[in-house]
Amino acid sequence: MERIEAELLTDGGNDAVVRMPGRRFPGVLVQGDSLHILRSDVAEVVEACDRGDLDEARESAGLLLTNLDALLARYEAALGEHEIPRPY
C-alpha cells in the first residue's frame, strides 16, 4: 500500500470528488458498496431487456440516469467551486 496526499474537493462522504497527485482533473471516489449498487442497477436494465420487458428496462434505466446525473452535478459543482474547467 502506498500513502499519498490528494486534494479533497468535497466532503469525504460517498462520491467524494478528489484530485490525485499528477492529475489535471479530479475524479469521483465511489465507495465499494456504491459501486456494487451501480453495477446491480445496470444488471437490472440488462435483465429486463433480455426478458423483453422494455417498460421495466426504461424505468430502471431512468432511475440509473437520475443517479448518474446527480453524481455528475456534484462533480461539476465541485469543479466550479474550485475554478477547475470541465474535462469535457
Side-chain angles (χ1 to χ4, degrees):
M1 176 180 5
E2 178 182 0
R3 293 192 179 267
I4 60 169
E5 287 189 27
E7 294 176 85
L8 182 62
L9 304 178
T10 60
D11 61 52
N14 284 340
D15 308 326
V17 179
V18 178
R19 182 164 37 194
M20 302 296 289
R23 299 298 302 206
R24 182 172 176 206
F25 297 104
V28 177
L29 175 64
V30 178
Q31 297 295 317
D33 59 334
S34 297
L35 180 60
H36 184 268
I37 290 167
L38 180 61
R39 190 255 173 231
S40 296
D41 291 346
V42 171
E44 282 182 27
V45 174
V46 171
E47 290 164 6
C49 288
D50 287 345
R51 289 191 309 274
D53 189 345
L54 297 183
D55 289 335
E56 183 179 334
R58 188 176 292 107
E59 182 178 339
S60 295
L63 293 172
L64 178 59
L65 181 59
T66 297
N67 291 337
L68 288 174
D69 283 344
L71 181 59
L72 185 59
R74 178 173 163 84
Y75 177 77
E76 291 174 346
L79 293 181
E81 288 174 19
H82 296 278
E83 299 180 354
I84 300 170
R86 294 178 187 175
Y88 46 86

